[in-house]
Amino acid sequence: MSRFFANGSDSESESSEEEVQASNFNKATNFQFSDDEEEVKRVVRSTKEKRYENLTGIIKTIRNHKKIKDIPNTLSSFEDLTRAYTKALPVISKEENGITPRFYIRCLAELEDFINEVWEDREGRKNLSKNNSKSLGTLRQKVRKYIKDFEEDLARFREAPDQESDVEEGDGEAHDSDADRAGADSDDGVCIGVGKLAELPKAAKSVAAKVIADDDDSDDSIDWDSDTESETESSEDENLYQNMRERFLKRTTEKEDKDDDKRKDKRKEQKHKVRKRADDDEDGEWETVVKGNVVEKPKMFEKDAEIDIPLVLAKLVEIMSARGKKRTDRRLQIDLLFELRDISEQHALGTPISVKIHFNIISAIFDYNQKISEPMKLEHWALLLEVMQSMLKLLLANPDINMNENVAEEHEEYGAAPYYIRGCPLAAVERLDDEFTKLLKECDPHSNDYVSRLKDEINVVKTIELVVQYFERCGSNNERCRIYLRKIEHLYYKFDPEVLKRKRGELPAAGTAPSSVEVMDKLCKFIYAKDDTDRIRTRAILAHIYHHAMHDNWFQARDLVLMSHLQDNIDAADPSTRILYNRMMANLGLCAFRQENIKDAHHCLVDLMVTGKPKELLAQGLLPQRQHERSAEQEKIEKQRQMPFHMHINLELLECVYLVSAMLLEIPYIAAHEFDARRRMISKTFYQQLRSSERQSLVGPPESMREHVVAAAKAMRCGNWQACANFIVNKKMNTKVWDLFYESERVREMLVKFIKEESLRTYLFTYSNVYTSISIPSLAQMYELPLPKVHSIISKMIINEELMASLDDPSETVVMHRSEPSRLQALAMQFVDKVTNLVDVNEKVFDMKQGNFFQRGNMGNRDRGYNRNQNNQGGNWGGQRRDNRNQRNRNQRGHHKQQQQQQQQQVQTIEEE
């Protein structure tokens, strides 16, 4: 390519021919030179600039998406950003010595703040679309996981977020120069601005500066014949021009250059002013900015006002009169009440005024959360506990202060003792307890937040204890019963190992603090005697039974259940009381199992387990609904009734105890009544598990708890007690179930003992028709039982007529009596039983119809009987004979005789059929 076109000047002495030739080349923008003449010119940039430009472009995209809350695109852009940063890591480690660029840290901090803001806005989150909501959760998880590697950099950035790095300043100037260049004339010359130099590599900057300086000199200074200089300038041209068009454009005039310089100077001055203003702000104090409209805090009192009790009470009424109204700043209301309390304490207006203000603060904190179904904020919860305990301590320290809801506002007394204040600390502590339960339900039970909230139960129980002391001093029986019930509900489900140790004599009973059983006994007996509402008494009885069952007081718990007759009228109780009843029955069944009462354990658990919904009945979760069984409102109410996680009963333990109890009862019964047509099912759930296992074509080794119990039942059915015990008591079952019991070793020994005894009974029922006599010592050796125990079991079976045999004491054998029916006889007996059942059913049907006949009179009876017999297959002779007989005896017999005749006719009809 000719150097004439590359270095054309702006001098006016150029000929018109040269201008025409240059303009012709300007039109041919897409003209391509051959390889011999010239290659396509392009700008050479460093890897750092490429990577940083890619990062800044993605960051700008993320900021645009955040402005419009386009969360799916923000997520995809964040993924692109992480990939681009991974590519830029070699450059960062080389150029920046491994220090993460500040603009990248700023982007991560802004993204984290954006996610937190959207996540905390619950109302806004509910209104998000399904795609946005799903993307928000994914983005939150990915960002939280990703920024763990930048925690130190983020911490340093958050300490000084306004500080700018060199890279950010350079980027800013580059963007400014780009903007200037975009606003300039489209026919710019080859002059390169400051912003363009900032974007080019250092080598390119030096070359460009050199070219500009050379252009200011005379064109005659260029040596046209120098090949080496031509090559160097050609290479400079390659770095200088990005496309062919720039070679032939005119350069900018001096006026335009001056305008550009002025704009840049003005922009630099503005930046300098902004930085100076920021530095001035840093020297001053920080000011807290409140979200939303700033409302000025009203003045409490005038400067010269004399602060006394009536003035403070008037101000208190003024503040509380805004309660519940629209546009009331509830946070400001709480702050004003705290300030009023401080003013009253500064002027020593007395404890009654302080107690009154405390109670109003508690009411204002409760009012802050408008939705009763949602829990309050944690900051308000901690404040509520503090204010509540402070108020109760003031009440207990001043016996002459009486706070009661029956005191009218006009009868309140603050001037002289005794003081009377309107308020109900009992209602406040009940609401506090309910809020604590809602806070627990809101937390994830498997997180540390739940444990942190559960620690607050100590303070809640202390608060309830303070209220108990106050009402024991000046409360009515009804109020004492209510607060006692609250204390019971925090105590009844907690296990106290000292109770069992005292029972066994391992700890001295005298000289120590009362155990939880003694405290429960005292509280519940007061409620039994003084309560006049059925609900409080019922709940106290249920909690008392639960606590007895927790500590293996089986007989006391059983007697309370039987004497209270709760099972007769529990269906009329409210849902929370029915849930407590179900929990009590479940725990009573576990207690019976631990105390070796297998039948009672099965009886307690059968009503819970037969429904297949123990999780819902115990309020420990909701099962997936089928075909919209519950509406949204019903599901919301059900969730409010759920029990906190730390009060749950292990459902797998409950089901295992039920199935093992059913196995120990059902397998011997099945073996004893193998050919009995009227055999009933003791446990429907266990029977279904057994049948479903038998229907399987291929049964593998047991894995779940149910499969272990079914495999044990099959082993017991054959009399193999060792296999049965191995299926029930093994390492997997110990971890899942048996280790959850207190003194689990004793429970396992009890289980093995029962398995041996029931396997012996099953063996005798199954194989008694094979033996003529069985040796008792051999049975004792086979089942590893003491000889007297085997003798006792066989004797009971003979007495109850379960085993047709007799004992021969001298030879220590059991002599079998072959009175069992054969297979044919057993089938015949089954057939007879079925026919008898059919006859019984027909008789019941005719008895029901006959009752309707007598109500219609004798004529109706005769007509119905005649018509029924006409439809029979036997013909008309049967109907005629009955009609003649009725006609002959109608006038001779009374009503009673006629009834007997109808019954004979029915029997005859059955025989004819």
Side-chain angles (χ1 to χ4, degrees):
M1 177 182 174
S2 174
R3 290 182 67 252
F4 173 77
F5 297 110
N7 290 320
S9 65
D10 294 333
S11 63
E12 298 176 356
S13 60
E14 289 178 347
S15 63
S16 60
E17 296 176 0
E18 292 172 347
E19 289 179 358
V20 171
Q21 192 174 3
S23 62
N24 289 336
F25 274 96
N26 281 336
K27 293 177 183 178
T29 339
N30 298 324
F31 183 82
Q32 297 292 333
F33 291 97
S34 65
D35 293 338
D36 298 335
E37 289 183 306
E38 189 64 37
E39 294 180 356
V40 176
K41 304 300 183 292
R42 47 187 188 181
V43 176
V44 178
R45 293 186 300 165
S46 65
T47 310
K48 176 183 176 181
E49 289 177 345
K50 290 179 183 178
R51 299 302 181 203
Y52 277 26
E53 184 180 350
N54 192 13
L55 287 174
T56 52
I58 297 174
I59 289 171
K60 186 177 179 183
T61 306
I62 289 176
R63 285 174 180 161
N64 292 336
H65 291 324
K66 285 193 298 184
K67 288 177 184 177
I68 60 174
K69 289 191 177 181
D70 188 357
I71 299 175
N73 286 330
T74 306
L75 173 61
S76 61
S77 299
F78 174 72
E79 292 171 349
D80 295 341
L81 181 66
T82 55
R83 287 192 290 267
Y85 182 76
T86 306
K87 290 181 180 179
L89 276 177
V91 177
I92 293 171
S93 59
K94 182 179 178 182
E95 300 288 340
E96 307 288 349
N97 295 326
I99 300 173
T100 308
R102 189 174 177 81
F103 71 90
Y104 190 73
I105 298 298
R106 182 187 297 276
C107 175
L108 293 181
E110 290 175 355
L111 188 58
E112 184 185 12
D113 295 341
F114 169 74
I115 293 169
N116 292 337
E117 181 184 353
V118 177
W119 189 265
E120 289 172 0
D121 184 12
R122 296 187 179 180
E123 294 297 329
R125 242 175 30 187
K126 290 179 182 176
N127 297 328
L128 289 177
S129 65
K130 185 177 180 182
N131 191 18
N132 272 348
S133 180
K134 185 178 178 181
S135 301
L136 178 63
T138 309
L139 178 63
R140 182 168 177 259
Q141 290 178 356
K142 289 189 175 183
V143 170
R144 288 174 68 180
K145 183 178 179 182
Y146 185 72
I147 63 175
K148 286 181 180 178
D149 300 332
F150 304 94
E151 287 180 351
E152 295 180 1
D153 296 331
L154 283 169
R156 285 196 298 270
F157 173 79
R158 292 191 186 280
E159 289 175 1
D162 295 331
Q163 181 181 352
E164 293 186 359
S165 64
D166 297 337
V167 178
E168 288 176 316
E169 291 177 6
D171 291 340
E173 292 178 3
H175 291 310
D176 293 340
S177 62
D178 291 340
D180 294 340
R181 202 164 44 248
D185 189 49
S186 59
D187 292 332
D188 286 345
V190 293
C191 179
I192 299 176
V194 179
K196 188 70 179 179
L197 288 174
E199 290 181 357
L200 292 176
K202 293 181 180 179
K205 288 181 183 179
S206 61
V207 172
K210 184 177 178 182
V211 171
I212 294 171
D214 291 343
D215 287 339
D216 292 337
D217 298 334
S218 173
D219 295 335
D220 298 336
S221 60
I222 302 173
D223 187 4
W224 293 83
D225 299 329
S226 176
D227 295 334
T228 57
E229 189 175 351
S230 175
E231 291 175 1
T232 56
E233 288 185 0
S234 178
S235 63
E236 289 172 3
D237 293 341
E238 290 177 2
N239 292 333
L240 182 61
Y241 303 111
Q242 291 185 4
N243 51 41
M244 297 298 299
R245 182 173 177 271
E246 289 185 359
R247 288 183 175 276
F248 307 105
L249 291 177
K250 290 186 179 181
R251 296 185 193 138
T252 56
T253 61
E254 293 181 2
K255 185 178 180 181
E256 290 174 347
D257 290 339
K258 288 179 182 179
D259 292 340
D260 291 342
D261 293 339
K262 285 180 182 178
R263 280 198 293 270
K264 289 171 188 173
D265 293 339
K266 194 174 182 181
R267 196 171 290 108
K268 285 182 181 178
E269 287 177 5
Q270 289 176 354
K271 283 188 178 181
H272 181 68
K273 287 180 181 179
V274 171
R275 289 182 187 174
K276 188 175 180 181
R277 194 181 302 118
D279 295 338
D280 294 339
D281 292 340
E282 287 178 1
D283 296 338
E285 295 181 355
W286 289 95
E287 182 181 353
T288 305
V289 179
V290 183
K291 184 180 179 182
N293 297 328
V294 179
V295 181
E296 288 189 9
K297 195 173 182 181
K299 295 180 180 179
M300 294 297 294
F301 301 105
E302 297 294 334
K303 269 190 177 182
D304 302 331
E306 182 181 352
I307 298 176
D308 54 1
I309 293 177
L311 188 62
V312 172
L313 287 175
K315 193 65 180 177
L316 180 63
V317 171
E318 178 188 342
I319 294 172
M320 297 307 293
S321 62
R323 180 182 176 189
K325 293 183 179 179
K326 286 185 177 180
R327 297 181 182 177
T328 300
D329 191 347
R330 295 184 295 276
R331 185 189 294 274
L332 179 62
Q333 199 174 24
I334 295 171
D335 295 340
L336 290 174
L337 288 172
F338 271 106
E339 186 179 348
L340 189 63
R341 184 192 68 175
D342 296 338
I343 292 172
S344 68
E345 290 175 356
Q346 288 173 6
H347 292 80
L349 298 181
T351 307
I353 288 291
S354 182
V355 171
K356 180 70 175 176
I357 296 174
H358 272 85
F359 188 77
N360 283 279
I361 290 173
I362 293 168
S363 302
I365 294 174
F366 282 136
D367 288 344
Y368 189 84
N369 189 14
Q370 289 184 328
K371 292 185 179 180
I372 300 177
S373 59
E374 293 183 359
M376 63 171 56
K377 294 182 178 179
L378 295 181
E379 53 182 10
H380 294 148
W381 167 251
L383 192 63
L384 179 64
L385 281 175
E386 180 186 348
V387 175
M388 184 81 78
Q389 291 186 4
S390 175
M391 182 190 75
L392 292 171
K393 287 175 182 176
L394 289 175
L395 286 173
L396 291 173
N398 298 274
D400 51 353
I401 298 178
N402 295 319
M403 177 178 275
N404 199 328
E405 60 182 346
N406 297 324
V407 177
E409 290 185 358
E410 58 269 15
H411 296 152
E412 289 182 331
E413 180 61 45
Y414 299 98
Y419 306 104
Y420 291 97
I421 303 172
R422 178 177 175 79
C424 184
L426 177 59
V429 80
E430 286 178 342
R431 177 77 184 273
L432 174 77
D433 195 18
D434 295 339
E435 289 292 340
F436 175 66
T437 306
K438 284 191 283 188
L439 279 171
L440 288 176
K441 292 178 187 176
E442 183 72 13
C443 296
D444 180 9
H446 305 290
S447 65
N448 293 329
D449 293 341
Y450 190 87
V451 179
S452 302
R453 295 282 67 77
L454 195 56
K455 290 178 182 177
D456 290 337
E457 189 180 15
I458 300 171
N459 294 324
V460 174
V461 172
K462 284 181 182 177
T463 307
I464 292 174
E465 189 63 40
L466 292 174
V467 179
V468 167
Q469 295 175 18
Y470 176 75
F471 281 106
E472 283 179 348
R473 189 185 70 192
C474 60
S476 63
N477 288 335
N478 188 23
E479 290 172 332
R480 289 178 67 182
C481 289
R482 285 168 61 189
I483 193 61
Y484 280 173
L485 183 62
R486 289 287 173 173
K487 186 175 180 180
I488 286 169
E489 288 179 346
H490 279 277
L491 183 64
Y492 79 95
Y493 62 89
K494 294 175 181 174
F495 177 71
D496 187 5
E498 292 184 359
V499 174
L500 297 180
K501 292 178 181 178
R502 288 185 186 182
K503 192 188 296 185
R504 293 193 296 264
E506 297 178 5
L507 289 177
T512 57
S515 64
S516 62
V517 173
E518 294 171 355
V519 174
M520 283 285 296
D521 196 55
K522 174 191 170 185
L523 298 175
C524 291
K525 283 182 178 178
F526 180 86
I527 292 176
Y528 300 158
K530 303 295 183 181
D531 178 54
D532 54 356
T533 61
D534 290 337
R535 184 180 183 275
I536 294 179
R537 186 188 298 111
T538 302
R539 292 186 68 85
I541 293 172
L542 292 173
H544 202 183
I545 296 169
Y546 191 104
H547 200 67
H548 274 311
M550 284 281 292
H551 298 91
D552 289 343
N553 297 329
W554 159 247
F555 293 105
Q556 291 91 326
R558 184 197 63 181
D559 293 343
L560 268 175
V561 172
L562 296 177
M563 288 189 299
S564 60
H565 298 285
L566 287 172
Q567 59 272 21
D568 297 337
N569 52 11
I570 193 63
D571 292 332
D574 58 291
S576 60
T577 305
R578 292 204 297 269
I579 290 168
L580 183 56
Y581 174 81
N582 293 335
R583 286 169 54 79
M584 179 273 295
M585 291 301 293
N587 204 32
L588 191 64
L590 295 178
C591 175
F593 186 79
R594 290 193 299 268
Q595 296 300 308
E596 304 181 3
N597 298 309
I598 302 299
K599 285 186 178 179
D600 293 324
H602 180 268
H603 182 67
C604 290
L605 299 176
V606 66
D607 290 334
L608 271 176
M609 306 306 296
V610 77
T611 58
K613 298 180 180 180
K615 190 174 185 179
E616 286 189 352
L617 293 176
L618 296 173
Q620 296 181 185
L622 297 177
L623 296 176
Q625 54 179 337
R626 302 169 186 171
Q627 298 178 355
H628 303 287
E629 293 176 356
R630 297 182 297 266
S631 63
E633 189 66 26
Q634 289 174 338
E635 189 167 355
K636 185 178 179 182
I637 294 172
E638 288 290 336
K639 286 182 179 178
Q640 291 175 1
R641 292 176 184 154
Q642 300 302 302
M643 303 298 294
F645 182 75
H646 67 284
M647 297 173 66
H648 284 191
I649 300 172
N650 193 302
L651 294 176
E652 191 170 13
L653 170 66
L654 209 62
E655 186 178 9
C656 182
V657 167
Y658 170 72
L659 290 176
V660 169
S661 303
M663 178 192 74
L664 295 174
L665 297 175
E666 187 86 46
I667 296 300
Y669 181 80
I670 292 175
H673 301 81
E674 185 176 3
F675 302 112
D676 191 355
R678 296 187 179 184
R679 184 179 68 196
R680 60 183 178 84
M681 288 185 295
I682 296 176
S683 171
K684 183 179 179 182
T685 308
F686 175 75
Y687 198 81
Q688 289 173 349
Q689 295 291 334
L690 208 59
R691 289 292 172 264
S692 64
S693 175
E694 289 176 356
R695 283 195 295 267
Q696 291 179 2
S697 57
L698 179 62
V699 180
E703 295 181 0
S704 66
M705 177 270 300
R706 293 179 181 176
E707 292 175 354
H708 275 86
V709 177
V710 170
K714 291 180 179 178
M716 181 183 282
R717 184 71 180 82
C718 302
N720 188 354
W721 73 270
Q722 289 178 335
C724 179
N726 290 335
F727 282 126
I728 295 296
V729 181
N730 53 54
K731 188 175 180 180
K732 184 182 286 187
M733 290 291 286
N734 290 344
T735 306
K736 282 186 175 181
V737 180
W738 307 124
D739 288 343
L740 300 177
F741 280 117
Y742 183 74
E743 297 178 344
S744 57
E745 193 60 39
R746 181 179 64 82
V747 175
R748 284 192 283 266
E749 292 174 359
M750 178 268 295
L751 269 173
V752 173
K753 184 190 75 170
F754 268 102
I755 287 172
K756 290 178 181 178
E757 294 175 3
E758 296 303 323
S759 297
L760 172 60
R761 297 183 65 226
T762 306
Y763 184 81
L764 290 174
F765 284 135
T766 306
Y767 301 108
S768 60
N769 57 353
V770 177
Y771 293 97
T772 56
S773 62
I774 304 176
S775 173
I776 294 178
S778 64
L779 288 175
Q781 183 180 3
M782 186 188 302
Y783 288 94
E784 297 181 7
L785 287 170
L787 201 61
K789 187 66 179 177
V790 177
H791 190 279
S792 171
I793 292 171
I794 295 174
S795 300
K796 285 180 183 177
M797 293 173 67
I798 293 173
I799 291 170
N800 295 332
E801 296 183 356
E802 295 174 342
L803 185 66
M804 304 303 293
S806 59
L807 287 172
D808 188 6
D809 287 336
S811 61
E812 293 184 342
T813 57
V814 182
V815 180
M816 299 296 175
H817 300 165
R818 291 189 172 275
S819 59
E820 289 83 5
S822 64
R823 177 70 176 170
L824 181 60
Q825 291 173 336
L827 292 173
M829 291 174 64
Q830 289 182 15
F831 178 72
V832 170
D833 288 337
K834 289 181 180 179
V835 171
T836 307
N837 288 337
L838 180 62
V839 172
D840 291 341
V841 169
N842 284 339
E843 287 180 355
K844 288 179 182 178
V845 171
F846 282 120
D847 286 340
M848 291 171 62
K849 290 184 177 180
Q850 200 170 29
N852 294 333
F853 293 162
F854 281 119
Q855 290 177 3
R856 296 179 183 177
N858 291 335
M859 185 64 69
N861 291 345
R862 185 172 63 254
D863 294 341
R864 287 287 299 269
Y866 178 77
N867 291 333
R868 184 173 65 247
N869 289 321
Q870 286 293 330
N871 293 329
N872 289 337
Q873 263 188 357
N876 296 329
W877 64 270
Q880 291 174 0
R881 186 176 64 176
R882 279 192 298 275
D883 290 340
N884 293 333
R885 187 182 302 151
N886 291 335
Q887 187 69 27
R888 195 167 51 246
N889 296 330
R890 187 179 299 119
N891 298 325
Q892 297 177 3
R893 299 182 182 179
H895 185 70
H896 183 65
K897 294 284 186 180
Q898 189 176 4
Q899 189 175 3
Q900 291 180 353
Q901 187 68 28
Q902 292 289 340
Q903 292 177 356
Q904 291 177 3
Q905 291 175 11
Q906 292 169 7
V907 173
Q908 188 175 1
T909 304
I910 292 171
E911 293 175 355
E912 291 172 0
E913 290 176 352

